[in-house]
Amino acid sequence: MRKFLFVVLTLVVVILTACSSNEQGASSKENEEELKEVSIVLDWTPNTNHTGLYVAKEKGYFKEQGLDVEILMPGETGANQLVASGKAEFGVSAQEALTHARVQDIPIVSIAAVIQHNTSGFASPKDKNITSPADYEGKTYGGWGAPVEKAVLSSLMKQEDADVEKVDIVNMGNTDFFTAVKRDVDFAWIYYGWTGVEAELRGQELNMQYLTDYSEKLDYYTPILTTNESMINENPETVSSFITAASKGYTFAKDNPEDAASILIDAVPDLDEELVKASQKWLSPKYQDDAEQWGIQEKETWKNYSDWMYNNNLLEEQLQVEDAFTNEFLPNKE
């Protein structure tokens, strides 16, 4: 009798365990199925502008919001085109590019500023003796062939009664800054948070003219996170969930630069570990900077730069500023 009871109890335990495992498996599968798949296209190869996205993915912030987010590298088709066409739900762009797109009736919208202030400027090796925009005369500028480059150069040089026509402007193509300035280029437009920090690590002293030191109109948002109008109108909850998680990721990166850098390095092992860590240390305080919260965008910043672009013949018509950006998806400030 005792043997019979032991066998019965053993069978009951086995059955209950199997049922429990099946229920847990079904629950796990159900939770996975509940995640909504979306993608974000980067504007460039992964770098510390993107750290918050990788943090949000690695630490599960996107999953907390019900999202399975794929981070895509940019291809021949840029992020703006992919987002506008709906082939990607989100993208990384810049205020200048989105302004051009909006004026051309391309329906993309900025939903967060990754960095509060423009950290770019014109850089040159110290031995070139370029210490102000007046020194650009007679020098060779290496760029990427965009009309905005000459307009910005001219804007800065005019303040010092210098003539942009006396600058030799060449297209560097894919040549990196450090190779170019060793060859035939005297100065170039860089983002200090990456190329400038790399120069420090190389022990190469730079002279740097930040755009924001010469005009508040050039203090624009770069980079930004974007989506399209259809997402905003038809899937606002998804947009809100994405930005809530991204905000949490960038806030973590702001407060924990070393840990955030490690997450980016683990996610993209081909990156230079020393550069990522140094860049992250430099850039993390710049994410939010003097704003009340990460991601916030000001109408004045959008208007200032679009007016500057229009006045410098870079836009065929004025930007409808109110349609170009929104703060409505940012999480409520605690």
Side-chain angles (χ1 to χ4, degrees):
M1 187 68 176
R2 287 179 180 176
K3 186 175 182 180
F4 175 75
L5 287 175
F6 175 77
V7 171
V8 171
L9 289 173
T10 301
L11 287 173
V12 170
V13 170
V14 169
I15 293 170
L16 289 174
T17 301
C19 289
S20 176
S21 297
N22 288 337
E23 287 176 3
Q24 288 178 2
S27 176
S28 176
K29 186 176 181 181
E30 185 178 329
N31 288 337
E32 288 180 6
E33 290 175 350
E34 286 177 359
L35 294 179
K36 182 171 184 177
E37 294 183 357
V38 298
S39 61
I40 179 166
V41 185
L42 303 184
D43 56 336
W44 198 248
T45 52
N47 57 68
T48 46
N49 283 343
H50 312 131
T51 306
L53 301 172
Y54 285 94
V55 168
K57 186 175 178 70
E58 172 62 25
K59 295 189 76 65
Y61 299 155
F62 285 129
K63 284 187 176 180
E64 287 175 4
Q65 295 296 321
L67 300 178
D68 179 8
V69 177
E70 183 179 10
I71 300 175
L72 302 174
M73 302 302 110
E76 291 184 7
T77 304
N80 286 348
Q81 293 92 327
L82 291 172
V83 172
S85 66
K87 293 180 180 177
E89 288 79 9
F90 304 98
V92 180
S93 185
Q95 184 175 333
E96 178 204 341
L98 189 140
T99 298
H100 274 295
R102 294 292 313 184
V103 169
Q104 295 169 15
D105 295 323
I106 297 173
I108 55 176
V109 180
S110 176
I111 48 178
V114 173
I115 302 170
Q116 270 300 305
H117 296 287
N118 188 351
T119 61
S120 73
F122 296 112
S124 59
K126 196 167 185 179
D127 59 15
K128 301 278 188 181
N129 296 316
I130 300 174
T131 59
S132 78
D135 296 327
Y136 299 163
E137 286 190 352
K139 299 295 193 299
T140 299
Y141 165 77
W144 61 92
V148 69
E149 295 173 275
K150 186 173 183 179
V152 172
L153 285 168
S154 178
S155 180
L156 270 59
M157 293 177 73
K158 282 179 181 177
Q159 296 182 38
E160 302 193 1
D161 297 321
D163 184 3
V164 72
E165 298 301 331
K166 295 181 181 179
V167 179
D168 184 16
I169 300 176
V170 300
N171 194 328
M172 294 197 309
N174 293 323
T175 306
D176 72 274
F177 172 80
F178 300 100
T179 301
V181 295
K182 285 180 180 178
R183 293 178 181 173
D184 55 354
V185 165
D186 294 309
F187 69 109
W189 193 346
I190 71 166
Y191 285 90
Y192 196 89
W194 192 258
T195 307
V197 170
E198 184 176 357
E200 292 180 11
L201 295 176
R202 288 169 174 250
Q204 182 166 349
E205 293 185 78
L206 298 181
N207 284 327
M208 184 87 178
Q209 292 85 50
Y210 289 97
L211 303 191
T212 52
D213 288 340
Y214 293 88
S215 174
E216 65 175 9
K217 292 183 180 295
L218 297 178
D219 189 13
Y220 52 87
Y221 298 119
T222 177
I224 54 177
L225 302 184
T226 67
T227 191
N228 58 58
E229 290 181 355
S230 295
M231 283 291 295
I232 289 175
N233 294 329
E234 299 170 16
N235 297 287
E237 298 86 0
T238 301
V239 179
S240 179
S241 295
F242 179 85
I243 288 298
T244 296
S247 175
K248 195 170 180 180
Y250 278 102
T251 299
F252 178 92
K254 171 179 71 74
D255 297 335
N256 305 277
E258 290 186 13
D259 291 341
S262 295
I263 289 172
L264 178 58
I265 292 163
D266 289 343
V268 192
D270 291 340
L271 292 176
D272 183 318
E273 182 174 346
E274 185 182 19
L275 175 56
V276 170
K277 289 181 177 179
S279 173
Q280 195 65 63
K281 183 179 179 180
W282 189 91
L283 193 60
S284 280
K286 309 273 191 306
Y287 287 143
Q288 182 174 333
D289 207 300
D290 56 358
E292 60 180 309
Q293 70 178 106
W294 175 86
I296 201 83
Q297 301 173 84
E298 300 292 342
K299 179 179 178 180
E300 182 180 13
T301 300
W302 279 89
K303 179 168 174 47
N304 277 345
Y305 188 53
S306 64
D307 285 349
W308 180 89
M309 292 178 72
Y310 181 78
N311 293 334
N312 282 274
N313 301 313
L314 296 171
L315 297 177
E316 294 180 0
E317 59 185 70
Q318 289 277 16
L319 174 71
Q320 298 299 314
V321 172
E322 294 82 359
D323 299 329
F325 78 99
T326 179
N327 291 314
E328 67 175 297
F329 299 108
L330 294 174
N332 292 329
K333 187 171 178 293
E334 295 180 0

